[in-house]
Amino acid sequence: MASRDRHPHLNQVDSANRKGILLEMVQVLTDLDLIISKSYISSDGGWFMDVFHVTDEAGKKLADEKLLLHIQQELCATRSKGEICGDRELGNWKGAEEQHAATATATATEKTALEMSGRDRAGLLSELSAVLVELGCSVTSVTAWTHNDRVACIIFLEEASEAGPISDPKRLAQVEEQLQNVVAAHSGTGERKSVRLTTLGAGRTHTERRLHQLMYANRDYENCHGEHKKGCDGTHVYVGRCEDKGYLVVNVTSMDRPKLLFDTVCVLTDMHYVVFHAAISSNRSIAHQEYFIRHSMDSSGLPSESEKQKLTLCLTAAIERRVSRGLRVDIGTENRMGLLSNVTRVFRENGLSISRVEIGREGKKAVGSFFVRDCSGEEEVNPNILELVRRETGGSLVTHHNSPHRVRQSSSSSASSIIHESKESIEAKPRSSLGRMLWSRLERLSAGFRPVRSG
Protein backbone atom coordinates (compact mmCIF):
# COMPACT_ATOMS: atom_id res chain seq x y z
CA MET A 1 0.00 0.00 0.00
CA ALA A 2 1.22 3.50 -0.86
CA SER A 3 -0.06 6.85 0.42
CA ARG A 4 0.00 10.30 -1.13
CA ASP A 5 -0.24 13.58 0.76
CA ARG A 6 -3.33 15.19 -0.75
CA HIS A 7 -6.92 16.07 0.08
CA PRO A 8 -8.64 13.69 0.50
CA HIS A 9 -6.07 11.13 1.60
CA LEU A 10 -5.27 8.49 -1.02
CA ASN A 11 -4.72 4.86 -0.05
CA GLN A 12 -3.58 2.42 -2.72
CA VAL A 13 -3.63 -1.34 -2.18
CA ASP A 14 -1.81 -3.75 -4.46
CA SER A 15 -1.98 -7.44 -3.62
CA ALA A 16 -2.36 -10.97 -4.86
CA ASN A 17 -6.06 -11.47 -5.47
CA ARG A 18 -8.10 -13.79 -3.26
CA LYS A 19 -11.69 -14.30 -2.20
CA GLY A 20 -13.10 -11.61 0.11
CA ILE A 21 -10.17 -9.20 -0.07
CA LEU A 22 -12.31 -6.23 -1.17
CA LEU A 23 -14.66 -6.55 1.81
CA GLU A 24 -11.67 -6.91 4.13
CA MET A 25 -10.12 -3.64 2.95
CA VAL A 26 -13.40 -1.72 3.10
CA GLN A 27 -14.11 -3.10 6.57
CA VAL A 28 -10.72 -1.94 7.88
CA LEU A 29 -11.34 1.64 6.72
CA THR A 30 -14.95 1.62 7.94
CA ASP A 31 -13.97 0.40 11.39
CA LEU A 32 -11.56 3.33 11.67
CA ASP A 33 -14.53 5.71 11.09
CA LEU A 34 -13.06 6.93 7.81
CA ILE A 35 -15.25 8.26 5.01
CA ILE A 36 -14.58 6.72 1.59
CA SER A 37 -15.50 9.44 -0.89
CA LYS A 38 -14.17 7.69 -4.00
CA SER A 39 -12.80 4.30 -4.89
CA TYR A 40 -11.47 2.60 -8.01
CA ILE A 41 -11.23 -1.17 -8.01
CA SER A 42 -9.74 -3.74 -10.36
CA SER A 43 -9.24 -7.43 -9.65
CA ASP A 44 -9.41 -9.04 -13.09
CA GLY A 45 -6.82 -11.78 -13.10
CA GLY A 46 -4.50 -12.94 -10.36
CA TRP A 47 -3.96 -9.60 -8.67
CA PHE A 48 -5.98 -6.96 -6.87
CA MET A 49 -5.67 -3.18 -7.14
CA ASP A 50 -7.80 -0.74 -5.17
CA VAL A 51 -7.60 3.01 -4.65
CA PHE A 52 -9.49 4.61 -1.74
CA HIS A 53 -9.96 8.36 -1.27
CA VAL A 54 -10.65 8.80 2.45
CA THR A 55 -11.23 11.61 4.95
CA ASP A 56 -12.12 11.74 8.62
CA GLU A 57 -15.75 11.90 9.77
CA ALA A 58 -15.82 15.70 9.35
CA GLY A 59 -14.61 15.46 5.76
CA LYS A 60 -11.13 16.73 6.62
CA LYS A 61 -7.75 15.55 5.44
CA LEU A 62 -5.99 12.93 7.56
CA ALA A 63 -3.06 14.74 9.18
CA ASP A 64 -2.22 12.49 12.13
CA GLU A 65 0.93 10.58 11.17
CA LYS A 66 0.21 7.89 13.78
CA LEU A 67 -3.23 7.31 12.26
CA LEU A 68 -1.78 7.12 8.76
CA LEU A 69 0.78 4.57 9.91
CA HIS A 70 -1.96 2.60 11.67
CA ILE A 71 -4.09 2.53 8.51
CA GLN A 72 -1.12 1.28 6.50
CA GLN A 73 -0.35 -1.43 9.04
CA GLU A 74 -3.97 -2.58 9.25
CA LEU A 75 -4.38 -2.80 5.48
CA CYS A 76 -1.09 -4.64 5.04
CA ALA A 77 -1.93 -7.07 7.85
CA THR A 78 -5.37 -7.71 6.41
CA ARG A 79 -3.90 -8.27 2.95
CA SER A 80 -1.60 -10.94 4.34
CA LYS A 81 -3.66 -12.81 6.89
CA GLY A 82 -6.28 -14.25 4.54
CA GLU A 83 -9.32 -13.93 6.78
CA ILE A 84 -11.98 -11.38 7.68
CA CYS A 85 -13.65 -10.94 11.04
CA GLY A 86 -17.24 -12.09 10.94
CA ASP A 87 -17.19 -13.06 7.26
CA ARG A 88 -18.48 -16.60 7.68
CA GLU A 89 -20.83 -18.73 5.68
CA LEU A 90 -24.16 -18.82 7.50
CA GLY A 91 -24.13 -22.57 7.77
CA ASN A 92 -20.71 -23.02 9.35
CA TRP A 93 -20.05 -19.65 10.97
CA LYS A 94 -20.26 -20.99 14.52
CA GLY A 95 -17.86 -23.80 13.76
CA ALA A 96 -15.33 -21.39 12.29
CA GLU A 97 -15.43 -19.30 15.47
CA GLU A 98 -14.97 -22.40 17.63
CA GLN A 99 -11.89 -23.41 15.64
CA HIS A 100 -10.29 -20.05 16.40
CA ALA A 101 -10.92 -20.30 20.16
CA ALA A 102 -8.25 -22.92 20.83
CA THR A 103 -5.73 -21.01 22.88
CA ALA A 104 -5.94 -19.94 26.51
CA THR A 105 -5.70 -16.30 25.49
CA ALA A 106 -8.68 -16.63 23.17
CA THR A 107 -10.66 -18.42 25.85
CA ALA A 108 -10.08 -15.55 28.24
CA THR A 109 -11.59 -13.08 25.77
CA GLU A 110 -14.61 -15.10 24.65
CA LYS A 111 -18.09 -13.61 24.90
CA THR A 112 -21.56 -15.09 25.01
CA ALA A 113 -23.78 -13.63 22.30
CA LEU A 114 -27.49 -13.88 21.64
CA GLU A 115 -28.26 -13.79 17.92
CA MET A 116 -31.91 -13.25 17.10
CA SER A 117 -33.79 -12.61 13.86
CA GLY A 118 -37.46 -12.75 12.96
CA ARG A 119 -40.54 -10.61 12.51
CA ASP A 120 -40.39 -7.22 14.21
CA ARG A 121 -43.05 -6.24 16.70
CA ALA A 122 -43.49 -3.55 19.34
CA GLY A 123 -41.97 -4.43 22.69
CA LEU A 124 -39.87 -7.38 21.50
CA LEU A 125 -36.54 -6.00 22.76
CA SER A 126 -38.20 -5.04 26.05
CA GLU A 127 -39.47 -8.60 26.56
CA LEU A 128 -36.11 -10.17 25.67
CA SER A 129 -34.19 -7.89 28.04
CA ALA A 130 -36.70 -8.49 30.86
CA VAL A 131 -36.25 -12.27 30.54
CA LEU A 132 -32.47 -11.86 30.65
CA VAL A 133 -32.77 -9.94 33.92
CA GLU A 134 -34.98 -12.66 35.40
CA LEU A 135 -32.40 -15.27 34.37
CA GLY A 136 -29.57 -13.33 36.03
CA CYS A 137 -27.82 -12.28 32.82
CA SER A 138 -26.16 -8.90 32.41
CA VAL A 139 -26.15 -7.18 28.99
CA THR A 140 -22.79 -5.70 27.98
CA SER A 141 -23.84 -4.43 24.54
CA VAL A 142 -26.69 -4.64 22.06
CA THR A 143 -27.00 -3.76 18.38
CA ALA A 144 -30.32 -4.17 16.59
CA TRP A 145 -31.62 -3.28 13.12
CA THR A 146 -35.17 -3.32 11.80
CA HIS A 147 -36.19 -3.25 8.15
CA ASN A 148 -39.34 -4.21 6.25
CA ASP A 149 -41.01 -5.62 9.38
CA ARG A 150 -37.99 -7.83 10.09
CA VAL A 151 -35.52 -7.49 12.95
CA ALA A 152 -32.03 -8.78 13.69
CA CYS A 153 -30.09 -8.17 16.87
CA ILE A 154 -26.90 -9.28 18.61
CA ILE A 155 -26.79 -8.99 22.39
CA PHE A 156 -23.59 -9.76 24.28
CA LEU A 157 -24.20 -11.27 27.72
CA GLU A 158 -22.41 -12.34 30.85
CA GLU A 159 -23.40 -13.76 34.17
CA ALA A 160 -24.57 -11.03 36.55
CA SER A 161 -22.72 -12.73 39.43
CA GLU A 162 -19.34 -12.75 37.68
CA ALA A 163 -17.80 -11.28 34.57
CA GLY A 164 -17.14 -13.56 31.65
CA PRO A 165 -18.99 -15.80 29.20
CA ILE A 166 -21.69 -18.28 30.19
CA SER A 167 -19.80 -21.56 29.95
CA ASP A 168 -22.16 -24.15 31.50
CA PRO A 169 -23.96 -25.99 28.65
CA LYS A 170 -27.06 -26.57 30.77
CA ARG A 171 -27.18 -22.90 31.69
CA LEU A 172 -26.82 -21.89 28.03
CA ALA A 173 -29.63 -24.26 27.03
CA GLN A 174 -31.91 -22.84 29.75
CA VAL A 175 -31.35 -19.22 28.70
CA GLU A 176 -31.75 -20.04 24.99
CA GLU A 177 -35.01 -21.91 25.58
CA GLN A 178 -36.55 -19.01 27.49
CA LEU A 179 -35.55 -16.52 24.78
CA GLN A 180 -36.93 -18.79 22.06
CA ASN A 181 -40.27 -18.83 23.90
CA VAL A 182 -40.39 -15.01 23.85
CA VAL A 183 -39.80 -14.84 20.09
CA ALA A 184 -42.15 -17.74 19.32
CA ALA A 185 -45.00 -16.34 21.43
CA HIS A 186 -46.14 -13.93 18.72
CA SER A 187 -44.83 -15.78 15.65
CA GLY A 188 -47.04 -17.40 13.06
CA THR A 189 -46.77 -21.01 11.97
CA GLY A 190 -43.83 -21.53 9.65
CA GLU A 191 -42.59 -17.97 10.10
CA ARG A 192 -38.85 -17.48 9.70
CA LYS A 193 -37.14 -16.88 13.03
CA SER A 194 -33.85 -17.74 14.66
CA VAL A 195 -32.67 -17.56 18.27
CA ARG A 196 -29.37 -18.95 19.44
CA LEU A 197 -26.71 -18.41 22.06
CA THR A 198 -23.14 -18.84 20.90
CA THR A 199 -19.64 -18.16 22.17
CA LEU A 200 -17.71 -15.69 20.08
CA GLY A 201 -14.10 -14.60 20.25
CA ALA A 202 -13.68 -10.96 21.18
CA GLY A 203 -12.16 -9.00 18.31
CA ARG A 204 -12.96 -11.73 15.77
CA THR A 205 -16.65 -10.99 15.36
CA HIS A 206 -17.79 -8.01 13.33
CA THR A 207 -21.27 -7.19 14.63
CA GLU A 208 -22.53 -5.17 11.66
CA ARG A 209 -21.19 -7.75 9.21
CA ARG A 210 -23.09 -10.42 11.09
CA LEU A 211 -26.29 -8.33 11.17
CA HIS A 212 -26.17 -8.10 7.38
CA GLN A 213 -25.94 -11.89 7.23
CA LEU A 214 -28.85 -12.36 9.63
CA MET A 215 -31.10 -9.92 7.76
CA TYR A 216 -30.23 -11.49 4.41
CA ALA A 217 -30.99 -14.98 5.75
CA ASN A 218 -34.26 -13.58 7.11
CA ARG A 219 -35.13 -12.29 3.60
CA ASP A 220 -35.86 -8.73 4.59
CA TYR A 221 -35.33 -7.82 0.92
CA GLU A 222 -38.54 -9.51 -0.23
CA ASN A 223 -40.78 -6.51 0.46
CA CYS A 224 -38.48 -3.88 -1.01
CA HIS A 225 -39.93 -3.72 -4.51
CA GLY A 226 -38.05 -2.67 -7.60
CA GLU A 227 -40.47 0.21 -8.21
CA HIS A 228 -38.77 2.08 -5.34
CA LYS A 229 -41.83 2.30 -3.13
CA LYS A 230 -42.28 5.08 -0.63
CA GLY A 231 -39.75 4.52 2.14
CA CYS A 232 -37.00 3.15 -0.08
CA ASP A 233 -35.09 6.40 0.51
CA GLY A 234 -34.28 7.16 -3.08
CA THR A 235 -32.18 4.03 -3.61
CA HIS A 236 -32.12 3.09 -7.28
CA VAL A 237 -30.47 -0.04 -8.64
CA TYR A 238 -30.06 -0.96 -12.29
CA VAL A 239 -28.61 -4.32 -13.36
CA GLY A 240 -27.51 -4.72 -16.97
CA ARG A 241 -25.29 -7.06 -18.98
CA CYS A 242 -21.89 -6.70 -20.55
CA GLU A 243 -22.21 -9.56 -23.02
CA ASP A 244 -18.72 -9.50 -24.52
CA LYS A 245 -16.99 -9.67 -21.13
CA GLY A 246 -19.57 -11.84 -19.38
CA TYR A 247 -20.12 -9.27 -16.63
CA LEU A 248 -23.22 -8.02 -14.92
CA VAL A 249 -23.04 -4.23 -14.73
CA VAL A 250 -24.66 -2.86 -11.57
CA ASN A 251 -25.39 0.85 -11.14
CA VAL A 252 -26.52 2.10 -7.72
CA THR A 253 -27.62 5.66 -6.96
CA SER A 254 -28.57 6.57 -3.38
CA MET A 255 -28.24 9.13 -0.64
CA ASP A 256 -24.61 9.31 0.47
CA ARG A 257 -23.77 8.35 4.05
CA PRO A 258 -20.98 6.74 6.08
CA LYS A 259 -20.49 2.96 5.64
CA LEU A 260 -22.43 2.88 2.36
CA LEU A 261 -19.66 1.07 0.46
CA PHE A 262 -19.28 -1.46 3.28
CA ASP A 263 -23.02 -2.24 3.23
CA THR A 264 -23.05 -2.69 -0.54
CA VAL A 265 -20.01 -4.95 -0.67
CA CYS A 266 -21.45 -7.07 2.17
CA VAL A 267 -24.49 -8.08 0.14
CA LEU A 268 -22.44 -8.79 -2.99
CA THR A 269 -20.24 -11.06 -0.87
CA ASP A 270 -23.23 -12.83 0.73
CA MET A 271 -24.72 -13.47 -2.71
CA HIS A 272 -21.39 -14.92 -3.92
CA TYR A 273 -20.70 -12.23 -6.51
CA VAL A 274 -17.10 -11.36 -7.33
CA VAL A 275 -16.29 -7.71 -8.07
CA PHE A 276 -13.87 -7.47 -11.00
CA HIS A 277 -14.03 -3.71 -11.53
CA ALA A 278 -15.81 -0.89 -9.74
CA ALA A 279 -15.95 2.87 -9.43
CA ILE A 280 -17.55 4.72 -6.52
CA SER A 281 -17.97 8.47 -6.10
CA SER A 282 -20.14 11.01 -4.28
CA ASN A 283 -21.56 14.26 -5.57
CA ARG A 284 -22.62 16.35 -2.60
CA SER A 285 -25.22 14.17 -0.87
CA ILE A 286 -25.67 11.65 -3.72
CA ALA A 287 -23.53 8.53 -4.11
CA HIS A 288 -22.94 6.67 -7.38
CA GLN A 289 -21.62 3.13 -7.45
CA GLU A 290 -20.88 1.01 -10.51
CA TYR A 291 -19.78 -2.62 -10.34
CA PHE A 292 -18.72 -5.16 -12.95
CA ILE A 293 -19.40 -8.54 -11.35
CA ARG A 294 -19.79 -12.27 -11.97
CA HIS A 295 -21.32 -14.99 -9.83
CA SER A 296 -18.57 -17.15 -8.34
CA MET A 297 -20.70 -20.31 -8.35
CA ASP A 298 -22.23 -20.06 -11.83
CA SER A 299 -20.01 -21.02 -14.74
CA SER A 300 -22.92 -21.44 -17.15
CA GLY A 301 -23.12 -17.78 -18.10
CA LEU A 302 -25.04 -14.66 -17.06
CA PRO A 303 -27.85 -15.04 -14.49
CA SER A 304 -31.55 -15.18 -15.27
CA GLU A 305 -33.94 -12.24 -15.02
CA SER A 306 -35.24 -13.53 -11.67
CA GLU A 307 -31.70 -13.63 -10.27
CA LYS A 308 -31.08 -10.09 -11.52
CA GLN A 309 -34.29 -8.98 -9.83
CA LYS A 310 -33.19 -10.60 -6.55
CA LEU A 311 -29.85 -8.81 -6.78
CA THR A 312 -31.67 -5.51 -7.26
CA LEU A 313 -33.85 -6.08 -4.18
CA CYS A 314 -30.96 -7.29 -2.02
CA LEU A 315 -28.80 -4.27 -2.83
CA THR A 316 -31.68 -1.92 -2.04
CA ALA A 317 -32.32 -3.70 1.26
CA ALA A 318 -28.64 -3.63 2.29
CA ILE A 319 -28.54 0.14 1.77
CA GLU A 320 -31.83 0.74 3.60
CA ARG A 321 -31.05 -1.33 6.70
CA ARG A 322 -28.80 1.26 8.25
CA VAL A 323 -31.12 4.22 7.53
CA SER A 324 -32.48 5.14 10.95
CA ARG A 325 -36.02 6.43 11.03
CA GLY A 326 -37.38 8.04 14.15
CA LEU A 327 -36.14 10.22 16.97
CA ARG A 328 -32.60 9.49 18.03
CA VAL A 329 -32.20 9.34 21.80
CA ASP A 330 -28.60 9.29 23.07
CA ILE A 331 -28.02 8.09 26.61
CA GLY A 332 -24.99 8.12 28.88
CA THR A 333 -25.33 6.81 32.39
CA GLU A 334 -23.81 4.58 35.04
CA ASN A 335 -24.09 0.99 33.87
CA ARG A 336 -26.16 -1.29 36.06
CA MET A 337 -28.05 -4.55 35.99
CA GLY A 338 -31.40 -4.26 34.19
CA LEU A 339 -30.76 -0.87 32.59
CA LEU A 340 -31.70 -2.02 29.08
CA SER A 341 -34.87 -3.66 30.42
CA ASN A 342 -35.93 -0.53 32.28
CA VAL A 343 -35.37 1.86 29.36
CA THR A 344 -37.09 -0.34 26.77
CA ARG A 345 -40.01 -0.90 29.18
CA VAL A 346 -40.63 2.86 29.35
CA PHE A 347 -40.70 3.05 25.56
CA ARG A 348 -43.04 0.05 25.29
CA GLU A 349 -45.46 1.23 27.98
CA ASN A 350 -45.78 4.59 26.26
CA GLY A 351 -46.52 3.22 22.80
CA LEU A 352 -43.10 3.80 21.22
CA SER A 353 -41.38 1.30 18.97
CA ILE A 354 -37.60 0.98 18.60
CA SER A 355 -36.29 0.92 15.03
CA ARG A 356 -32.57 0.68 15.82
CA VAL A 357 -30.31 0.32 18.86
CA GLU A 358 -26.58 0.69 19.47
CA ILE A 359 -25.68 0.46 23.16
CA GLY A 360 -22.41 -0.56 24.77
CA ARG A 361 -20.15 -0.01 27.74
CA GLU A 362 -17.35 2.50 28.11
CA GLY A 363 -15.66 1.75 31.38
CA LYS A 364 -18.39 1.82 34.02
CA LYS A 365 -20.82 3.79 31.85
CA ALA A 366 -23.48 2.63 29.41
CA VAL A 367 -23.55 4.79 26.28
CA GLY A 368 -25.34 4.58 22.97
CA SER A 369 -28.44 5.45 21.01
CA PHE A 370 -32.05 4.38 20.57
CA PHE A 371 -34.10 5.35 17.51
CA VAL A 372 -37.78 5.49 18.45
CA ARG A 373 -41.09 6.46 16.88
CA ASP A 374 -44.76 6.20 17.79
CA CYS A 375 -47.15 3.52 16.55
CA SER A 376 -48.01 5.58 13.46
CA GLY A 377 -44.36 5.84 12.46
CA GLU A 378 -43.94 9.50 13.39
CA GLU A 379 -40.78 10.60 15.14
CA GLU A 380 -42.46 13.30 17.24
CA VAL A 381 -42.30 12.01 20.81
CA ASN A 382 -44.04 13.41 23.86
CA PRO A 383 -41.41 15.23 25.97
CA ASN A 384 -42.94 13.72 29.10
CA ILE A 385 -41.96 10.25 27.85
CA LEU A 386 -38.39 11.37 27.32
CA GLU A 387 -38.34 12.76 30.85
CA LEU A 388 -39.41 9.34 32.12
CA VAL A 389 -36.51 7.79 30.22
CA ARG A 390 -34.10 10.35 31.69
CA ARG A 391 -35.29 9.56 35.21
CA GLU A 392 -35.01 5.82 34.53
CA THR A 393 -31.42 6.10 33.33
CA GLY A 394 -30.36 8.64 35.91
CA GLY A 395 -27.89 10.07 33.41
CA SER A 396 -27.69 12.34 30.40
CA LEU A 397 -30.23 12.24 27.60
CA VAL A 398 -29.89 14.01 24.22
CA THR A 399 -32.38 13.83 21.35
CA HIS A 400 -31.84 14.42 17.63
CA HIS A 401 -34.37 14.54 14.82
CA ASN A 402 -33.03 11.94 12.43
CA SER A 403 -34.80 12.22 9.08
CA PRO A 404 -33.71 9.40 6.74
CA HIS A 405 -33.00 12.02 4.06
CA ARG A 406 -30.54 13.94 6.21
CA VAL A 407 -27.09 12.56 5.71
CA ARG A 408 -23.58 13.42 6.74
CA GLN A 409 -21.70 15.47 4.21
CA SER A 410 -19.08 13.84 2.06
CA SER A 411 -15.64 15.35 1.76
CA SER A 412 -16.58 17.16 -1.42
CA SER A 413 -18.81 19.64 0.40
CA SER A 414 -19.01 21.60 3.63
CA ALA A 415 -18.90 19.42 6.72
CA SER A 416 -20.50 22.10 8.89
CA SER A 417 -24.02 21.72 7.49
CA ILE A 418 -26.55 18.97 6.79
CA ILE A 419 -28.06 18.70 3.34
CA HIS A 420 -31.64 17.64 2.74
CA GLU A 421 -32.35 16.28 -0.71
CA SER A 422 -35.66 14.65 -1.58
CA LYS A 423 -36.14 11.35 -3.33
CA GLU A 424 -37.60 13.22 -6.31
CA SER A 425 -34.36 15.15 -6.78
CA ILE A 426 -32.44 11.89 -7.07
CA GLU A 427 -34.89 10.50 -9.58
CA ALA A 428 -34.55 13.63 -11.68
CA LYS A 429 -30.80 13.18 -12.05
CA PRO A 430 -29.71 11.16 -15.11
CA ARG A 431 -27.87 7.94 -14.35
CA SER A 432 -24.31 8.57 -15.49
CA SER A 433 -22.02 5.62 -16.06
CA LEU A 434 -18.72 5.68 -14.24
CA GLY A 435 -17.21 3.09 -16.55
CA ARG A 436 -15.22 5.51 -18.69
CA MET A 437 -13.85 7.25 -15.61
CA LEU A 438 -13.00 3.85 -14.12
CA TRP A 439 -11.06 2.62 -17.11
CA SER A 440 -9.14 5.87 -17.64
CA ARG A 441 -8.22 6.10 -13.97
CA LEU A 442 -7.15 2.47 -13.73
CA GLU A 443 -5.08 2.79 -16.89
CA ARG A 444 -3.16 5.68 -15.37
CA LEU A 445 -2.74 4.03 -11.99
CA SER A 446 -1.79 0.59 -13.26
CA ALA A 447 1.53 1.90 -14.52
CA GLY A 448 2.61 2.38 -10.91
CA PHE A 449 1.43 -1.02 -9.70
CA ARG A 450 2.81 -4.48 -9.92
CA PRO A 451 1.53 -7.80 -8.54
CA VAL A 452 2.72 -8.45 -4.98
CA ARG A 453 2.43 -11.87 -3.41
CA SER A 454 0.83 -11.86 0.02
CA GLY A 455 2.92 -13.45 2.70
Side-chain angles (χ1 to χ4, degrees):
M1 185 192 77
S3 300
R4 294 179 183 175
D5 187 17
R6 58 192 299 181
H7 177 73
H9 195 79
L10 180 65
N11 293 279
Q12 300 177 1
V13 181
D14 185 22
S15 171
N17 192 23
R18 58 177 170 78
K19 181 180 178 181
I21 189 171
L22 174 59
L23 180 55
E24 296 176 22
M25 298 300 174
V26 173
Q27 182 172 299
V28 166
L29 297 175
T30 300
D31 288 348
L32 292 171
D33 293 325
L34 300 176
I35 305 300
I36 303 173
S37 59
K38 290 182 181 180
S39 183
Y40 307 96
I41 299 159
S42 179
S43 62
D44 206 351
W47 61 290
F48 170 85
M49 181 178 70
D50 201 346
V51 180
F52 298 103
H53 296 252
V54 298
T55 65
D56 64 16
E57 291 185 285
K60 296 181 179 179
K61 177 182 177 179
L62 305 182
D64 188 334
E65 292 297 329
K66 291 183 178 179
L67 174 60
L68 295 176
L69 178 60
H70 180 67
I71 294 171
Q72 184 175 13
Q73 291 173 339
E74 287 293 313
L75 289 174
C76 289
T78 301
R79 182 189 69 178
S80 301
K81 69 183 181 181
E83 65 180 36
I84 180 168
C85 302
D87 184 20
R88 316 293 184 199
E89 298 296 334
L90 289 173
N92 59 17
W93 185 72
K94 182 177 180 180
E97 290 294 341
E98 289 173 342
Q99 292 171 12
H100 281 293
T103 65
T105 301
T107 302
T109 58
E110 286 179 345
K111 294 184 179 181
T112 300
L114 162 65
E115 292 183 350
M116 188 277 295
S117 63
R119 182 168 296 280
D120 187 29
R121 59 179 172 82
L124 178 58
L125 182 59
S126 175
E127 294 176 23
L128 289 172
S129 55
V131 168
L132 290 173
V133 172
E134 292 176 2
L135 293 170
C137 298
S138 176
V139 174
T140 61
S141 69
V142 54
T143 306
W145 291 351
T146 63
H147 178 244
N148 279 346
D149 298 323
R150 313 303 296 180
V151 60
C153 75
I154 297 177
I155 303 176
F156 285 94
L157 315 170
E158 61 185 17
E159 294 281 15
S161 57
E162 58 180 340
I166 303 173
S167 56
D168 183 0
K170 292 183 178 179
R171 171 72 165 148
L172 285 169
Q174 176 200 21
V175 174
E176 186 173 281
E177 181 182 9
Q178 293 297 316
L179 295 171
Q180 287 175 340
N181 291 338
V182 172
V183 175
H186 299 274
S187 300
T189 304
E191 187 173 288
R192 289 187 303 275
K193 57 184 180 297
S194 174
V195 180
R196 74 164 188 167
L197 285 179
T198 185
T199 301
L200 306 177
R204 291 194 299 272
T205 303
H206 194 276
T207 302
E208 293 178 343
R209 175 74 185 98
R210 185 59 180 153
L211 285 173
H212 274 298
Q213 292 178 316
L214 292 172
M215 291 295 260
Y216 175 71
N218 205 18
R219 301 183 186 177
D220 68 318
Y221 55 84
E222 290 184 337
N223 293 323
C224 194
H225 302 295
E227 288 78 14
H228 312 296
K229 63 181 179 59
K230 182 179 180 180
C232 270
D233 304 318
T235 302
H236 300 274
V237 181
Y238 171 77
V239 180
R241 298 172 183 264
C242 182
E243 301 285 355
D244 56 336
K245 296 291 186 179
Y247 294 135
L248 282 182
V249 183
V250 179
N251 283 276
V252 182
T253 303
S254 66
M255 304 299 293
D256 192 17
R257 59 167 175 77
K259 302 187 179 183
L260 177 62
L261 179 58
F262 171 77
D263 295 339
T264 306
V265 176
C266 275
V267 74
L268 292 174
T269 302
D270 287 338
M271 298 184 73
H272 304 288
Y273 283 101
V274 178
V275 176
F276 287 88
H277 305 285
I280 293 91
S281 69
S282 60
N283 179 18
R284 294 179 65 84
S285 63
I286 306 302
H288 303 277
Q289 303 177 70
E290 185 169 66
Y291 298 90
F292 295 79
I293 63 175
R294 293 188 190 126
H295 201 282
S296 63
M297 302 175 67
D298 184 9
S299 59
S300 61
L302 294 171
S304 65
E305 289 300 318
S306 62
E307 291 170 325
K308 288 170 57 180
Q309 179 67 7
K310 180 181 178 181
L311 175 59
T312 299
L313 300 183
C314 288
L315 283 167
T316 304
I319 293 170
E320 286 182 0
R321 287 169 191 154
R322 200 187 292 273
V323 176
S324 304
R325 300 171 181 84
L327 181 71
R328 174 178 155 187
V329 181
D330 295 340
I331 68 168
T333 187
E334 192 74 18
N335 187 48
R336 63 181 185 274
M337 178 71 174
L339 177 64
L340 178 66
S341 176
N342 294 338
V343 173
T344 54
R345 174 181 52 77
V346 173
F347 288 138
R348 173 173 56 84
E349 291 177 346
N350 289 275
L352 298 180
S353 62
I354 300 172
S355 62
R356 181 179 164 192
V357 184
E358 292 180 4
I359 298 291
R361 292 194 306 197
E362 290 184 1
K364 295 183 178 181
K365 295 195 68 176
V367 295
S369 303
F370 293 89
F371 296 83
V372 297
R373 47 187 174 175
D374 65 20
C375 58
S376 65
E378 296 297 326
E379 69 174 53
E380 295 299 328
V381 176
N382 188 328
N384 294 331
I385 300 175
L386 299 177
E387 176 61 19
L388 290 174
V389 175
R390 190 194 65 78
R391 292 178 182 176
E392 193 65 58
T393 62
S396 62
L397 189 73
V398 180
T399 61
H400 308 266
H401 288 278
N402 198 74
S403 167
H405 294 299
R406 290 178 185 146
V407 297
R408 188 179 308 174
Q409 284 298 94
S410 68
S411 61
S412 58
S413 52
S414 172
S416 62
S417 62
I418 297 178
I419 284 200
H420 174 276
E421 187 155 352
S422 67
K423 179 171 64 176
E424 288 74 16
S425 67
I426 297 178
E427 293 174 343
K429 295 177 183 294
R431 181 188 292 113
S432 58
S433 173
L434 298 177
R436 182 171 300 177
M437 178 178 64
L438 166 70
W439 304 127
S440 62
R441 178 60 66 99
L442 288 176
E443 185 177 343
R444 285 190 301 159
L445 290 174
S446 61
F449 283 83
R450 58 183 178 179
V452 176
R453 295 186 179 275
S454 298

